[in-house]
Amino acid sequence: EAVDRAKTAQTHAQKFAAASFSIGELTTAVANSAVIITGILLAVDGQLTLGRLIAFLFLVNLFVQPVQVATEAARIGHHAGIKVATIYGGASMRAQIDALQAGAQFVVGTPGRVKDLFRRGYLRLENIRFAILDEADEMLSMGFADELEAIVAALPAARQTMLFTATLAPVVENLFATTHADQKADWE
């Protein structure tokens, strides 16, 4: 099973490296998050000097369990020295700010808290190289369209955007068609 996951991650890494925008249908959140994270880190292995810049933004909803996704990101990215911050409502904002200020390069968060910390100036999005929106259909159905649009609008144009959803509803396609009209799409 580990060999199959590694092969899947390599396949994803190759696709992600070639496309500016990707959409994929995934059915189980945390297991697939590990594959996504592995693919991203394989795609940039040795090619990205991070320093204290946030280069990865992984947006989830509360059903995806941001803490579990962040734990996987920390476990997988540990060999590369990647620091991970988990940002979501209902938890201490001070601890989240401290994690960002300590130099996290990989942020896993929910749309509401990410937008809030961005507006307050604690979360800087101008250096994001990879934006991952997992369970985007659920985030939209929970009423986070405004937050997602604001976050995506604040991201730099030179980035990789990956959207994963269990259902490819027209509202998901419309959201990213309007915010990524000038980017090449890789629809899976």
Side-chain angles (χ1 to χ4, degrees), residues 7-148:
K7 286 180 183 177
T8 301
Q10 287 177 332
T11 300
H12 283 298
Q14 291 167 347
K15 286 182 181 180
F16 295 158
S20 296
F21 177 61
S22 300
I23 292 182
E25 288 185 67
L26 300 174
T27 56
T28 59
V30 175
N32 287 315
S33 296
V35 171
I36 295 164
I37 294 163
T38 302
I40 294 164
L41 295 178
L42 284 172
V44 299
D45 190 31
Q47 299 175 21
L48 188 62
T49 303
L50 297 175
R52 295 175 53 89
L53 302 177
I54 299 170
F56 306 93
L57 178 63
F58 198 118
L59 292 173
V60 297
N61 66 51
L62 285 174
F63 295 121
V64 175
Q65 304 293 330
V67 173
Q68 289 178 339
V69 174
T71 300
E72 282 299 304
R75 183 181 65 79
I76 295 166
H78 177 72
H79 76 281
I82 292 176
K83 295 179 186 174
V84 179
T86 311
I87 298 175
Y88 59 97
S92 167
M93 189 179 285
R94 179 77 255 160
Q96 295 170 2
I97 292 168
D98 290 346
L100 291 170
Q101 292 175 339
Q105 301 109 341
F106 198 118
V107 173
V108 178
T110 55
R113 183 58 64 96
V114 166
K115 182 182 174 189
D116 190 23
L117 289 176
F118 169 70
R119 272 191 287 137
R120 293 175 187 229
Y122 293 109
L123 177 58
R124 302 190 58 186
L125 301 175
E126 68 268 10
N127 294 306
I128 297 293
R129 299 288 300 273
F130 291 88
I132 305 95
L133 290 84
D134 200 6
E135 298 285 329
D137 54 339
E138 290 295 326
M139 288 189 279
L140 290 169
S141 71
M142 295 171 70
F144 287 114
D146 291 341
E147 288 83 354
L148 290 174

Side-chain angles (χ1 to χ4, degrees), residues 20-23 59 131 133 136 140 144-163 170-185 187:
S20 296
F21 177 61
S22 300
I23 292 182
L59 292 173
L133 290 84
L140 290 169
F144 287 114
D146 291 341
E147 288 83 354
L148 290 174
E149 287 179 8
I151 292 165
V152 170
L155 296 173
R159 71 173 187 283
Q160 194 83 32
T161 302
M162 291 160 264
L163 180 140
V171 68
V172 174
E173 291 182 41
N174 291 340
L175 171 66
F176 289 93
T178 58
T179 58
H180 294 83
D182 62 335
Q183 292 186 2
K184 173 182 155 190
W187 298 82

